[in-house]
Amino acid sequence: MKTIKTFAAVLALTSLSFGTFAAEQMGTVSVSSAKTLSGFESQVAAKAQAAGASSYRIVSATGDNQLRGTAVLYN
């Protein structure tokens, strides 16, 4: 009986965890000509806010004197 209760608790917690990470991807944004990483992140954040995204994930950033890259936007 204890095993069944433990299994039920693990199952319930697992389903809650997956629900937390279920964000829907709504698109991507590109940023170019940023001079620093924090400037790059600020430009991504501004574009995400303008698009109505609740969060974003930077997937690439490259460059020497001018950074460019992309980010994925999520609802």
Side-chain angles (χ1 to χ4, degrees):
M1 189 63 153
K2 185 176 180 181
T3 305
I4 293 173
K5 287 182 182 179
T6 303
F7 179 73
V10 168
L11 185 62
L13 290 174
T14 303
S15 64
L16 289 175
S17 297
F18 287 125
T20 303
F21 295 113
E24 183 178 328
Q25 182 176 336
M26 61 182 282
T28 60
V29 293
S30 297
V31 172
S32 59
S33 72
K35 300 217 183 278
T36 63
L37 283 175
S38 59
F40 176 80
E41 196 274 335
S42 296
Q43 289 182 27
V44 169
K47 287 187 175 190
Q49 185 177 18
S54 63
S55 61
Y56 59 88
R57 179 174 53 103
I58 296 173
V59 293
S60 70
T62 187
D64 292 323
N65 296 330
Q66 291 188 357
L67 298 174
R68 59 193 174 281
T70 57
V72 178
L73 305 179
Y74 296 97
N75 281 342

